[in-house]
Amino acid sequence: LSRVVITGTGLFTPEGGVTNDELVASLTTATQRWNEDHSAEIARGDCTARDIPSSKFILRASGVGHRYVIDKEGVLDPTRMRPRLRKRGEDELSLQAEICVAAAREALAQAGREASDIDAVVVGCSNLQRAYPAVAIEVQAALGARGFAYDMNVACSSATFAIQNGVDALRCGHARRVLVLNPELTSGHTNFEAREFHFIFGDACTAVLLEREDDAAPAGVGEAWEVLGTRLVTQFSNNIRNDAGFLNRCEEPAREPRELLFRQNGRQVANEVCPMVAEHLRVHLADAGIPVERVKRLWLHQANLGMNRTIAKTLLGREVLPEEAPVILDEYANTSSAGSVIAFHKHRGGIGAGEHAVLCSFGAGYSIGSVLLRKLRD
Ligand code: CO8
């Protein structure tokens, strides 16, 4: 079987940066208006007043300080509370394909590759903007890549699951170079009117270029990270749901609007998923014969600062230095499947050739994916 390496990564970041204070100010205005509009029902006890959000709570409970969104104005408009996106014509590049192309170009440049070198494109993300034609095929055409392309969705674990698909395709000889893309436009599915959800997510797109080591560019052109192993696991849970789907218009009775957006029992998710992830990583590393103390860096899914500290501490058996498990929540918030790849993209300096690291995602499903890496060359 061929050895597979990651030779490039890319990141698209939207221009619209939103601080917690800006988000809280907008939701506070919207909440006060809603409570005024419903004052009679609230007084009669037919419904309860909505609670005012707090910046202090957000930072303390999650570690999120800021996020980027594809349309800041629409998200912060208290009368709208969702992005305002121009409807594009069928002859125009779709928004999700556009951000994929931007991230892909950076990954290709890093690896010293042309788009025509690519013969498989996998788009993995939590929310696809349409059912078909596949966004991945649109990206393949826009880039001028060859071969085949398809979309897939495993929520926050879409990147690691797509990486495993790419590695398998390379090892089996179905492709020679695979581009994995994660266009996460989470603001389209965030309930900005609910204080328990409005702060969680941000938008971004990541790219990872996978090649067979015998095909990879010669030393000196770029970095190479050998994929020593991948491991995926899923376990059904209703604690994180989004019921938007093509049968919604047929259902009787119709669903509540909030059911068509992201929702979760966040506390229960954190309690259940942390031990599962730490154990998954322990067993994956042990089976690969890599002692945990040899792991130089953990690029974990970025959902919650406390969760990441707990997982890293449980795995390593000691307090973990911030640089050992980098966090990007303060700037990007939870970008679903893009999160662990953003951490890898931005925080992989200081690891020497021959040293080990882990990329790991976890989220809705539940789903967990881990990728064991060894740096081959600088
Ligand atoms: N401001 C002030 N108070 C608040 C706020 C707020 N914004 N939000 C909640 N509160 C209140 C609550 O009402 C509650 O009040 P009370 O005690 O009076 O009932 C109190 O604060 C505590 O609330 P919680 O118990 O909910 O608070 P937690 O400490 O659990 O923190 C978190 C909430 C931050 C959400 C935390 O539970 C968490 O991060 N959990 C991790 C969940 C996780 O990892 N989820 C993964 C989901 S992502 C994924 O899988 C991909 C899905 C695809 C998404 C893409 C589409 C958008």
Side-chain angles (χ1 to χ4, degrees), residues 52-54 57-58 61-62 126-127 155-156 186 189-190 195-196 198-201 240 262 264 266-267 269-270 301 303-304 307 334 336 362-364:
I52 300 297
S54 133
F57 168 87
I58 296 170
S62 68
S126 289
N127 294 293
C156 290
T186 65
H189 271 195
T190 296
R195 75 168 187 169
E196 66 269 40
H198 79 129
F199 61 89
I200 296 178
F201 292 103
I240 312 170
F262 167 89
Q264 69 169 355
R267 180 63 63 95
V269 172
H301 174 51
N304 182 290
M307 280 175 81
N334 180 345
S336 193
F362 41 88

Side-chain angles (χ1 to χ4, degrees), residues 160-222:
T160 51
F161 277 57
I163 287 172
Q164 173 162 306
N165 277 7
V167 170
D168 290 349
L170 290 162
R171 288 202 173 129
C172 293
H174 300 312
R176 294 184 77 125
R177 289 185 197 90
V178 181
L179 205 44
V180 168
L181 302 164
N182 316 106
E184 293 289 7
L185 293 173
T186 65
S187 58
H189 271 195
T190 296
N191 186 348
F192 288 104
E193 293 178 54
R195 75 168 187 169
E196 66 269 40
F197 304 135
H198 79 129
F199 61 89
I200 296 178
F201 292 103
D203 298 334
C205 179
T206 48
V208 172
L209 178 61
L210 295 158
E211 307 188 50
R212 281 186 4 206
E213 204 231 330
D214 49 10
D215 277 343
V221 172

